[in-house]
Amino acid sequence: MKKTRISGNLNVTGPVLAKTAAVMLPLYKELAKSRLFASKWCQAVREADLGTIQKLFRSKVPSARIESLSTNGIGFFVDLSFPKPLEYYTNATTIPPGTVQFTYSSSVIRRLSASVLPFYRGLSSSPLYAKSVANAVRLGDKRKLNLLIRLYVKSTFLIAVETGPSGFSLAFKYPAERYVYMNEFFHESLF
């Protein structure tokens, strides 16, 4: 089945963003600090080895309620469980589809993870901040969202912040790396 971002009027809330960030924080911490873990993770992504990805994920986030965990050879997607009507919300770090296949750099993932850690901490620990980010997403206010995210993400390699109807993405481009890497929060619908 093909996953497609929805175009409906899903109301993303601060608590959804806060919970998503809180659940994913241990994974990004480990990716940032451990060269070995990042190397195993990225190899599993490149090889689309879902079994290894699940094992590594559960070693850092053992009790998270997830709908699914998936990979496409150029990124990973974690669908976290939420009550209806939302049901699930996705966090992903991926290279945009159509640019390359079976490429995923552990050095880039380590740097990207280190860059987003303060942002994930801010979302997960400040209800007011998470609510402000969610409001910017719902209003499609890209300028405000960009300012809010850059309060915590200080990396000069963050080249763009985009908003959509159900979430947002942070685009990173590192020197000597051909591809843009996206760190995303969004909701998808299966068609």
Side-chain angles (χ1 to χ4, degrees):
M1 285 189 184
K2 182 181 178 185
K3 285 187 173 184
T4 310
R5 283 189 183 78
I6 65 166
S7 59
N9 57 4
L10 176 71
N11 285 329
V12 176
T13 65
V16 167
L17 296 180
K19 179 183 174 186
T20 301
V23 168
M24 295 303 295
L25 193 55
L27 176 67
Y28 288 110
K29 280 182 186 176
E30 191 65 20
L31 287 168
K33 83 172 188 180
S34 172
R35 186 176 313 237
L36 180 60
F37 185 88
S39 177
K40 288 179 181 179
W41 181 269
C42 292
Q43 180 178 350
V45 168
R46 285 190 303 272
E47 295 173 358
D49 179 354
L50 193 53
T52 297
I53 290 171
Q54 288 174 335
K55 180 180 171 188
L56 291 169
F57 181 80
R58 285 298 181 197
S59 75
K60 299 304 161 197
V61 192
S63 61
R65 291 187 55 225
I66 61 172
E67 282 291 312
S68 68
L69 182 61
S70 57
T71 183
N72 59 3
I74 55 171
F76 69 91
F77 305 84
V78 179
D79 296 336
L80 303 169
S81 297
F82 283 92
K84 289 183 179 185
L86 187 61
E87 297 185 26
Y88 61 91
Y89 197 71
T90 303
N91 180 260
T93 299
T94 186
I95 299 170
T99 56
V100 69
Q101 289 183 325
F102 307 109
T103 297
Y104 206 67
S105 167
S106 61
S107 63
V108 168
I109 292 307
R110 291 189 71 215
R111 292 174 78 182
L112 184 152
S113 295
S115 294
V116 300
L117 280 176
F119 173 61
Y120 280 59
R121 284 186 193 109
L123 277 178
S124 62
S125 66
S126 171
L128 183 58
Y129 178 70
K131 180 180 177 181
S132 296
V133 171
N135 286 342
V137 170
R138 281 196 310 274
L139 295 172
D141 190 339
K142 184 178 171 181
R143 187 187 69 74
K144 182 177 181 184
L145 182 64
N146 188 45
L147 290 171
L148 287 166
I149 288 173
R150 289 181 188 272
L151 287 173
Y152 288 100
V153 181
K154 302 297 186 184
S155 174
T156 58
F157 305 112
L158 174 60
I159 59 169
V161 173
E162 298 294 333
T163 185
S166 68
F168 57 93
S169 63
L170 288 68
F172 291 86
K173 176 74 172 75
Y174 292 93
E177 175 58 45
R178 291 178 54 188
Y179 307 106
V180 171
Y181 283 69
M182 308 294 289
N183 184 250
E184 302 176 293
F185 287 71
F186 59 91
H187 185 270
E188 289 185 327
S189 179
L190 294 177
F191 287 68

